[in-house]
């Protein structure tokens, strides 16, 4: 039975496009793989703390020599890393905040990436795992657009996930998500609606593909 780790990072509980996209993904994944398990971590509603000195130094100290602060920090990191390692696939909702990912998502990444275990080389404990990044952006940041050079959200995630953790990453992005609420983007309402619809369709397709791939060994 496969496990999907579902991560949301939007600060919004309502009206979040990235949350809508992950909901579509999870729904389609469950429909295609009903015997699977979904583990959800909502970083917007329940953020993990930022990585501290105790969390860094404690990883390089034998367990019997760790301070109480190091023990507590490593217990959290162990929980988060194990949750990631036990997942067969991951879906991450990643809205763009100030040209990059929410600090809550960055904090989670800092906690789960441990060189020598989940990060730092080709033989990580999560190598080859499929991660779907479902991104939302208020404007347009595609190659060739005026603000393409300001895109540090999906580009960052793709680099850190593949370069540090050696996972397989597929990115789906909905653009112009603020077109209906920002008068300056009113000319792009139709484009934004089309981008969001296409993102939902692709999110669903990706979920079904990943679920089918995970179900294959059980069918043999």
């Amino acid at each position: 039975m496969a496990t999907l780790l579902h991560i949301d990072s939007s600060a919004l509980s309502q009206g979040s496009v990235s949350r809508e996209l992950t909901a579509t993904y999870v729904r389609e994944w469950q429909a295609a793989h009903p015997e699977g398990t979904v583990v959800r971590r909502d970083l917007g509603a329940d953020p993990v703390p930022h990585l501290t000195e105790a969390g860094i130094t404690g990883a390089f100290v034998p367990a019997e020599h760790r301070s109480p602060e190091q023990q507590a920090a490593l217990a959290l990191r162990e929980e988060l890393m194990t949750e990631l390692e036990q997942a067969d696939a991951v879906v991450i909702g990643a809205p763009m905040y100030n040209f990059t990912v929410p600090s809550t998502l960055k904090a989670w990444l800092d906690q789960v990436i441990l060189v020598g275990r989940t990060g730092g080389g080709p033989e990580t404990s999560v190598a080859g795992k499929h991660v779907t990044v479902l991104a939302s952006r208020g404007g347009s940041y595609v190659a060739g657009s005026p603000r393409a050079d300001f895109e540090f959200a999906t580009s960052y995630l793709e680099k850190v996930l593949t370069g540090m953790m050696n996972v397989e990453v597929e990115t789906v992005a909905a653009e112009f998500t603020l077109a209906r609420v920002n008068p300056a983007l009113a000319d792009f309402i139709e484009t934004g609606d089309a981008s969001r619809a296409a993102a939902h369709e692709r999110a669903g397709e990706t979920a079904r593909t990943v679920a089918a791939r995970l179900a294959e060994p059980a069918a043999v």
Side-chain angles (χ1 to χ4, degrees):
M1 183 172 65
T3 298
L4 172 69
L5 177 58
H6 169 196
I7 298 173
D8 279 316
S9 62
S10 174
L12 300 177
S13 60
Q14 301 293 326
S16 165
V17 175
S18 66
R19 287 182 183 274
E20 293 172 3
L21 290 172
T22 60
T24 291
Y25 185 103
V26 171
R27 182 179 66 251
E28 293 299 318
W29 190 88
Q30 289 180 311
H33 196 47
E35 69 276 18
T37 299
V38 178
V39 175
R40 190 181 186 204
R41 186 164 287 275
D42 191 335
L43 301 175
D46 188 19
V48 300
H50 290 289
L51 186 62
T52 62
E53 180 178 11
I56 295 173
T57 59
F60 302 98
V61 175
E64 63 272 19
H65 296 307
R66 290 173 186 159
S67 69
E69 293 77 12
Q70 289 174 327
Q71 291 175 9
L74 265 295
L76 173 62
R77 296 194 74 183
E78 180 65 34
E79 175 188 349
L80 296 172
M81 288 187 291
T82 299
E83 188 173 75
L84 175 61
E85 290 169 335
Q86 291 180 344
D88 298 286
V90 183
V91 59
I92 300 175
M96 176 188 277
Y97 289 174
N98 302 315
F99 307 128
T100 189
V101 298
S103 63
T104 52
L105 182 52
K106 178 62 164 62
W108 178 81
L109 287 165
D110 288 341
Q111 294 283 5
V112 299
I113 297 175
L114 180 61
V115 174
R117 180 171 168 179
T118 56
E123 300 302 324
T124 72
S125 60
V126 294
K129 200 179 297 290
H130 190 281
V131 178
T132 304
V133 173
L134 300 178
S136 58
R137 308 192 280 236
S140 180
Y141 297 83
V142 296
S145 66
R147 287 204 164 186
D149 290 344
F150 288 78
E151 206 293 307
F152 301 105
T154 59
S155 57
Y156 162 73
L157 287 173
E158 289 168 357
K159 289 293 185 183
V160 74
L161 291 169
T162 59
M164 285 295 294
M165 306 175 83
N166 197 26
V167 299
E168 176 188 349
V169 178
E170 182 167 353
T171 300
V172 178
E175 298 213 312
F176 286 118
T177 61
L178 293 179
R180 287 190 172 274
V181 296
N182 185 345
L185 298 175
D187 290 343
F188 300 99
I189 289 177
E190 185 175 338
T191 302
D193 288 348
S195 179
R196 183 184 300 196
H200 275 284
E201 182 176 356
R202 188 174 163 200
E205 291 174 354
T206 302
R208 292 189 292 272
T209 299
V210 172
R213 184 191 306 176
L214 293 174
E216 284 176 1
V220 174

